[in-house]
Amino acid sequence: RLEELDDLIATAAPTTLFKALPALQRRDLREIPGQIEFLSRQAQVVRHRLEELDDLIATAAPTTLFGEGSSAGSDGGAAELRQARDLYAGQLREIVTTLESLRLGLLRLHAGSAMPSALTADLDAARALMSRLDLLARGQAEVERSLGHSKDPV
């Protein structure tokens, strides 16, 4: 699948770039591999959720493509599902953007056009995103528990 290849490239490129840094820079930026791994896993989970939502939308409004154009009240919940899908799609964009920022920062280090301190903003953004994703996963797990479902957290 194309998404799996994208995930592999998005993870492998920054990981390879990180491993090729001098030891001192790797020490200073030691958070990066964990962040890349976490964000890559989250991208896979979110892509899976998007696929699930696409299927649910198609089931809720089978006569329309993703529920568009169905009359109000008769869309079988497709409108709410589309809203959820839009939220997950926004999450995926943010995850991919953060991964790409880390990759570009590492490329700049290799090119000599940046210092390790230049990655501070990217690292801060990755930390903040990871924290939000963790909170969302915990919230979703709590909702699933309260509904009696046993899904793994995001």
Side-chain angles (χ1 to χ4, degrees), residues 88-107:
Y88 276 106
Q91 255 186 4
L92 182 60
R93 279 189 299 276
E94 189 173 5
I95 292 167
V96 170
T97 299
T98 302
L99 282 168
E100 185 64 7
S101 291
L102 290 170
R103 186 185 71 78
L104 290 173
L106 289 168
L107 280 172

Side-chain angles (χ1 to χ4, degrees), residues 38-56:
F38 177 85
L39 293 171
S40 295
R41 278 194 320 268
Q42 291 303 303
Q44 291 173 346
V45 169
V46 171
R47 280 192 181 101
H48 178 71
R49 296 253 191 256
L50 288 170
E51 290 172 4
E52 288 176 341
L53 286 166
D54 286 342
D55 291 344
L56 288 171

Side-chain angles (χ1 to χ4, degrees), residues 56-68 70 74-78 81-82:
L56 288 171
I57 291 167
T59 301
T63 59
T64 63
L65 179 62
F66 299 114
E68 293 99 350
S70 55
S74 67
D75 70 352
L81 291 168
R82 279 193 309 279

